[in-house]
Amino acid sequence: MAGDKAEKLSRKTYEKELLRLQTELVKLQEWVRAEGARVVVVFEGRDAAGKGGTIKRVTEHLNPRFARIAALPKPTERERTQWYFQRYIGHLPAAGEIVLFDRSWYNRAGVEHVMGFCTKEEHQLFLRQCPLFERMLVEEGILLRKYWFSVSDEEQQERFRRRLEDPLRRWKLSPMDLESITRWEEYSRAKDEMMVHTDITEAPWYVVESDDKRRARLNMIAHLLDSVPYQDVPPPVLDLPERPASTGYRRPPRDLQNYVPDHAANL
């Protein structure tokens, strides 16, 4: 990472600003719904760079009917015979929706290229077609934002170690993740080549320095909010009605139903 490392944020400062930004994200979502806008946010970066944690904070208070995460598994045999971008098109937003891509079509520029899951010809075709594809999205009116989460090799190693020792996060590690350690420079070259071809005026890349996860989350969310010309949409006026008087309904006896045991009572 360039320059001196900034001082890590305190938890109190982080949580206060995160709540403020999440409140603004709710306003952004309401504006997207009211305007019929379509928003695509691409999250890319090295393994353990903090993409998933940031996505979780972005969506934490949003309506999942209108803000969804697209995290595609490896392509099926049928999908491998399709045009490469085809499987992603079906996940693009309709009017009033926000879609967050937890990794995206850029798999071809990264893991597929480095690990040999695509041919050199397929990789070069991707680099030529991707800018055209993204220009089409922007011309269609989609608000496209692309974030690259940059983590140092030392910090990535430490995060892998913590995941390996934590049974709640052990699932995040795969042999493919660990191989990224030994292929660090190959991934670096692949990323540099990808940036040269796909950092376009219509859809530029924004790099998020993510050795400090708290700072990275705040910086990314703040940038996203600043990049979209949303406005505060007044909520509809709702009045809580008075509960009507009872008409004689009686609840069935409790012993006629199966209840979950009170596990909490034994704590």
Side-chain angles (χ1 to χ4, degrees), residues 84-198:
Y84 176 72
F85 295 95
Q86 189 169 339
R87 69 193 296 250
Y88 295 98
I89 291 174
H91 295 272
L92 294 174
E97 294 181 345
I98 302 171
V99 177
L100 311 177
F101 278 91
D102 185 357
R103 295 199 181 278
S104 65
W105 45 88
Y106 282 99
N107 279 338
R108 176 135 296 177
V111 63
E112 290 190 16
H113 173 51
V114 173
M115 299 302 297
F117 296 155
C118 67
T119 66
K120 292 182 179 179
E121 293 75 18
E122 288 172 331
H123 175 243
Q124 290 301 310
L125 181 62
F126 170 84
L127 294 179
R128 291 197 302 272
Q129 290 187 341
C130 185
L132 301 174
F133 173 66
E134 291 182 351
R135 286 189 180 102
M136 291 173 65
L137 298 183
V138 175
E139 289 174 359
E140 174 62 21
I142 289 176
L143 300 175
L144 175 60
R145 302 293 181 269
K146 303 185 307 192
Y147 293 97
W148 177 271
F149 283 71
S150 177
V151 64
S152 66
D153 50 355
E154 298 89 352
E155 180 63 22
Q156 185 194 53
Q157 188 89 1
E158 175 61 20
R159 290 177 186 178
F160 280 161
R161 184 193 63 77
R162 291 198 297 265
R163 287 180 180 184
L164 194 62
E165 297 172 354
D166 186 347
L168 296 180
R169 295 189 293 171
R170 179 64 179 80
W171 63 270
K172 291 186 175 183
L173 273 182
S174 70
M176 196 76 66
D177 297 330
L178 299 180
E179 190 153 357
S180 66
I181 297 175
T182 59
R183 295 177 180 263
W184 179 272
E185 290 192 0
E186 294 177 62
Y187 274 104
S188 296
R189 294 188 184 96
K191 183 264 293 183
D192 292 343
E193 185 176 12
M194 176 196 79
M195 290 286 188
V196 167
H197 288 83
T198 63

Side-chain angles (χ1 to χ4, degrees), residues 12-80:
K12 181 178 180 181
T13 300
Y14 163 71
E15 291 181 347
K16 180 180 179 181
E17 179 62 7
L18 178 62
L19 182 60
R20 187 188 74 80
L21 292 174
Q22 289 177 326
T23 302
E24 291 300 312
L25 284 171
V26 173
K27 295 179 183 179
L28 169 65
Q29 178 181 249
E30 292 308 304
W31 175 84
V32 168
R33 291 180 60 188
E35 293 294 318
R38 293 167 291 172
V39 179
V40 170
V41 187
V42 169
F43 291 79
E44 291 287 347
R46 295 184 186 273
D47 297 313
K51 301 180 296 297
T54 304
I55 292 172
K56 181 178 180 181
R57 272 69 182 185
V58 170
T59 60
E60 188 171 4
H61 299 290
L62 300 184
N63 187 333
R65 293 186 179 89
F66 304 102
R68 52 188 170 85
I69 302 168
L72 277 61
K74 66 180 182 180
T76 64
E77 289 299 323
R78 181 175 182 274
E79 288 172 332
R80 289 191 180 97

